[in-house]
Amino acid sequence: ILNVEQSPQSLHVQEGDSTNFTCSFPSSNFYALHWYRWETAKSPEALFVMTLNGDEKKKGRISATLNTKEGYSYLYIKGSQPEDSATYLCALYNQGGKLIFGQGTELSVKP
Amino acid sequence: NAGVTQTPKFQVLKTGQSMTLQCAQDMNHNSMYWYRQDPGMGLRLIYYSASEGTTDKGEVPNGYNVSRLNKREFSLRLESAAPSQTSVYFCASRDRGLSYEQYFGPGTRLTVT
């Protein structure tokens, strides 16, 4: 069983704060790492798919980095807004086609 | 394109009853997945199908069966429902290949009493 861990479990920040979360995973047999954004009462939506060590991806105020040798990825949000409130999930893709999710980081941004 | 669709959206079962959750995608994706979401547990993989004609167990397969009916459809069956199967069930699909994201259906909220 692949072990994908995310920290922190929850985070409360003020509007305008920048924040970051961590996703840790086994570094052996790495194929791809996904980040998803999941708003309450909706379905998860993909933010990034990262495949190469050193990958950096950006979408607006959200960016992510990947270190496959040490087994971690960071997700950054610059200048958090209330609409960024959601659960952020990372998931590890393995050779067999499984996509295994971490437990998520729940972000709450207060105006 | 409808994307990934799931039926029903809500269901209440009594312990021991059976039912099938339906999932279909119109994106011509090879791989399809079933997850359950429970408070504090994130998304846990029940079964997946890497391609038409194949199915494999995920993290929590006990009490479930699946059928990949064709490339579009992937159903999840509960033969004898138990209260522990009360959950929100998500179906998802993706194309084969490393860099493709997963697309999720709207979810089915199941309560077993």
Side-chain angles (χ1 to χ4, degrees):
Chain A
I1 298 288
L2 297 173
N3 200 20
V4 181
E5 297 187 356
Q6 292 186 246
S7 63
Q9 282 192 327
S10 64
L11 199 52
H12 300 267
V13 302
Q14 290 294 129
E15 182 175 356
D17 288 349
S18 292
T19 186
N20 65 84
F21 337 124
T22 304
C23 174
S24 301
F25 51 87
S27 56
S28 58
N29 296 320
F30 174 86
Y31 282 84
L33 187 91
H34 295 212
W35 280 100
Y36 290 81
R37 182 171 180 276
W38 192 5
E39 291 182 71
T40 302
K42 293 187 177 180
S43 302
E45 292 185 348
L47 286 171
F48 306 114
V49 177
M50 309 175 80
T51 58
L52 299 175
N53 184 44
D55 251 357
E56 290 189 28
K57 300 233 174 175
K58 188 175 181 182
K59 187 180 287 189
R61 293 179 291 98
I62 304 177
S63 60
T65 61
L66 177 67
N67 184 324
T68 61
K69 295 187 177 181
E70 296 184 34
Y72 65 84
S73 175
Y74 294 138
L75 188 80
Y76 301 91
I77 302 179
K78 184 177 178 182
S80 302
Q81 299 297 309
E83 57 265 31
D84 295 329
S85 297
T87 296
Y88 291 84
L89 298 166
C90 71
L92 189 67
Y93 178 78
N94 81 343
Q95 181 184 15
K98 285 185 185 180
L99 195 61
I100 301 294
F101 283 81
Q103 292 185 346
T105 292
E106 188 176 352
L107 174 66
S108 173
V109 183
K110 292 187 178 179
Chain B
N1 287 348
V4 181
T5 57
Q6 291 182 236
T7 55
K9 289 190 175 170
F10 302 94
Q11 183 72 48
V12 179
L13 290 178
K14 293 185 178 178
T15 298
Q17 286 185 318
S18 62
M19 80 161 295
T20 299
L21 280 63
Q22 307 287 352
C23 174
Q25 51 90 12
D26 62 1
M27 297 173 280
N28 203 36
H29 286 168
N30 288 298
S31 303
M32 298 185 74
Y33 303 77
W34 275 106
Y35 294 90
R36 59 178 288 173
Q37 182 239 335
D38 302 294
M41 305 289 284
L43 285 170
R44 291 185 292 169
L45 182 64
I46 305 171
Y47 271 94
Y48 69 107
S49 171
S51 61
E52 186 179 356
T54 69
T55 61
D56 286 287
K57 294 178 181 179
E59 302 168 87
V60 288
N62 291 344
Y64 305 95
N65 285 303
V66 290
S67 295
R68 183 74 183 267
L69 304 168
N70 47 54
K71 194 170 186 180
R72 288 187 66 248
E73 298 171 289
F74 189 38
S75 62
L76 179 73
R77 182 159 178 85
L78 287 71
E79 290 291 351
S80 179
S84 60
Q85 294 177 304
T86 293
S87 188
V88 181
Y89 291 86
F90 286 96
C91 177
S93 72
R94 65 185 293 275
D95 214 341
R96 196 185 300 168
L98 290 183
S99 58
Y100 293 107
E101 64 198 64
Q102 200 164 62
Y103 292 84
F104 285 84
T108 295
R109 185 174 293 276
L110 175 68
T111 302
V112 183
T113 61

